[in-house]
Amino acid sequence: MNKQSIVFTGGGSAGHVTPNIAIINELSKNEWKVHYIGSKKGIEKELITKMGLPYYGISSGKLRRYMDAENVKDVFRVLKGIMEARSLLKKINPKLVFSKGGFVSVPVIIAASSLKIPIYIHESDLTPGLANKISQRFSTKIFTSFEEAAKHFPANKTVVIGSPIRKEIFSGDKERGKKYLGFTKERPILTVMGGSLGAKKINETVRDSLQELTAKYQIVHLCGKGQKDDSLDNTTSYRQFEYVNEELSDILAATDTIVTRGGSNAIFEFLALKIPMLIIPLTKKQSRGDQILNAEAFTKKGYSLTLDEEKLTKNSLIESLENLEKNREKIISMQTSPMGDALSVLIKEIQSNR
């Protein structure tokens, strides 16, 4: 059987990459030759090259919603990225381009459209990011995680499917995770995840609260690149990592409670694993407010509790975790995703392009 080529794009944060990885891992290696186009220095380059896949970095500008002198320069960066992507796509000749968004995806999608290559995009959040707002007019089909997101796209090419969940997160082993962390069975495990770039205020508040928190929990803290505090490395009930990859499924299997940002892909994975969540979304000063909406939607459905970062203090963190534990069984009973298997839907849709 002849292999067909497919190009994936998306980057800027791990949330724009991990769903692509979930799909890539399920595609038949006998049927598909996978290529990835991303930015020259983004986290997507690190994650994809680790998989041994062909990776191509292109020029890309940041998509801003505000006036800035850099916007003028970025117009030329995007134009350069379109030309670079078009050249790559002509050589690769893919059957399909699949995008998870992020500013780097826009040049790729515009280039693919100019070559009449089918384009699928997936929107994870309750409201679309600027990249997908631009990309929708060029897309062949649009998939969303939330029903609320579908109303922002053309109805004739939009399907609500949920979030594609990496199958490997279900393969974790609880005992292996505890052994890796050096934790015992005496206390439950609290995992703190601030996202791939970390979360300064969450990190600081957790560390300020260690005495109180370690009296109740053993803590694994995924704090982000460059945000480890080496002075705390000798604490037996507290383990910190900048980022974990292969060990994540085991850590999640051992996790009893999680503190997380409100990125859609992450919270859908924790929902699938039935882990009670305290969501601390990015503020509107740090983002367009998508994480706030995601957190509100999950909390409204009984999947989690939310603590606004503006209200985050040592006392509010401890109080919110106590409230989460009081409602633990109720939250777990509610944690049934209303969506089907988004990953299987996407694989079927991709296969239809062979």
Side-chain angles (χ1 to χ4, degrees):
M1 183 181 294
N2 292 330
K3 285 187 180 183
Q4 303 289 354
S5 289
I6 180 172
V7 167
F8 285 84
T9 187
S13 70
H16 287 128
V17 187
T18 51
N20 278 343
I21 292 174
I23 299 166
I24 291 167
N25 285 340
E26 293 304 305
L27 288 176
S28 170
K29 293 178 176 58
N30 294 323
E31 297 181 7
W32 293 98
K33 174 66 174 176
V34 174
H35 303 259
Y36 205 103
I37 301 178
S39 61
K40 293 178 180 178
K41 297 181 180 179
I43 190 171
E44 63 271 22
K45 181 177 182 180
E46 178 183 348
L47 295 175
I48 297 300
T49 52
K50 278 183 180 178
M51 299 174 68
L53 297 172
Y55 182 89
Y56 315 91
I58 63 168
S59 176
S60 60
K62 183 177 180 180
L63 301 176
R64 299 177 181 87
R65 297 167 184 266
Y66 53 88
M67 296 300 294
D68 191 286
E70 286 296 310
N71 289 346
V72 177
K73 295 179 183 178
D74 283 342
V75 169
F76 292 99
R77 293 187 183 113
V78 171
L79 289 173
K80 183 181 179 184
I82 293 170
M83 298 306 295
E84 290 172 341
R86 197 172 193 275
S87 177
L88 286 167
L89 291 172
K90 287 176 76 173
K91 291 176 183 176
I92 297 168
N93 190 28
K95 284 284 187 178
L96 178 72
V97 167
F98 188 93
S99 170
K100 266 302 295 157
F103 55 83
V104 72
S105 67
V106 174
V108 182
I109 286 172
I110 294 174
S113 177
S114 74
L115 295 170
K116 302 189 183 310
I117 299 169
I119 301 160
Y120 288 176
I121 66 174
H122 183 273
E123 174 56 57
S124 294
D125 294 312
L126 210 71
T127 58
L130 185 54
N132 279 346
K133 278 186 175 180
I134 295 170
S135 300
Q136 63 173 304
R137 72 192 69 178
F138 304 103
S139 66
T140 309
K141 206 159 191 176
I142 301 167
F143 305 92
T144 69
S145 291
F146 291 97
E147 292 178 2
E148 294 90 335
K151 66 183 180 182
H152 297 280
F153 297 111
N156 64 329
K157 58 180 180 181
T158 303
V159 183
V160 184
I161 61 168
S163 183
I165 305 295
R166 295 173 291 174
K167 287 192 174 179
E168 58 264 32
I169 71 163
F170 298 105
S171 65
D173 181 89
K174 182 175 183 178
E175 294 307 316
R176 193 165 57 218
K178 286 184 177 181
K179 184 177 180 181
Y180 173 74
L181 296 168
F183 287 166
T184 68
K185 298 179 180 179
E186 293 176 3
R187 279 163 291 158
I189 294 175
L190 170 68
T191 295
V192 180
M193 298 184 71
S196 56
L197 302 177
K200 189 173 186 292
K201 188 170 182 181
I202 293 176
N203 290 348
E204 291 173 349
T205 306
V206 166
R207 287 165 180 156
D208 286 344
S209 311
L210 278 183
Q211 184 175 348
E212 292 81 3
L213 292 177
T214 53
K216 299 178 180 180
Y217 300 102
Q218 298 169 102
I219 301 171
V220 52
H221 189 175
L222 307 181
C223 55
K225 190 173 183 179
Q227 298 200 44
K228 281 184 66 179
D229 184 341
D230 294 335
S231 69
L232 299 172
D233 277 345
N234 295 324
T235 306
T236 57
S237 295
Y238 175 76
R239 294 292 311 279
Q240 56 182 331
F241 305 90
E242 290 187 346
Y243 185 81
V244 293
N245 192 6
E246 291 84 1
E247 303 86 2
L248 181 60
S249 59
D250 292 334
I251 290 173
L252 291 177
T255 295
D256 297 283
T257 303
I258 197 156
V259 173
T260 179
R261 280 301 198 193
S264 173
N265 301 306
I267 62 178
F268 266 101
E269 289 187 344
F270 305 147
L271 173 64
L273 292 170
K274 290 184 170 289
I275 303 175
M277 293 174 260
L278 175 62
I279 303 176
I280 305 176
L282 280 166
T283 68
K284 285 188 176 180
K285 291 181 180 179
Q286 301 167 286
S287 71
R288 60 186 171 85
D290 50 303
Q291 291 198 7
I292 295 172
L293 295 175
N294 294 344
E296 287 175 353
F298 264 48
T299 298
K300 184 178 180 180
K301 292 172 182 176
Y303 301 157
S304 59
L305 296 183
T306 298
L307 173 59
D308 294 332
E309 185 167 312
E310 294 92 338
K311 298 178 181 177
L312 175 60
T313 63
K314 176 179 176 179
N315 289 336
S316 66
L317 176 63
I318 293 169
E319 183 180 339
S320 295
L321 285 170
E322 287 175 349
N323 194 18
L324 189 68
E325 296 303 340
K326 287 177 185 176
N327 291 279
R328 180 179 190 81
E329 296 307 319
K330 181 181 178 181
I331 288 171
I332 291 174
S333 70
M334 296 293 290
Q335 286 183 317
T336 302
S337 175
M339 304 298 174
D341 185 352
L343 185 57
S344 294
V345 171
L346 291 174
I347 295 298
K348 185 177 180 180
E349 290 281 354
I350 289 170
Q351 286 294 123
S352 68
N353 284 275
R354 277 192 57 80

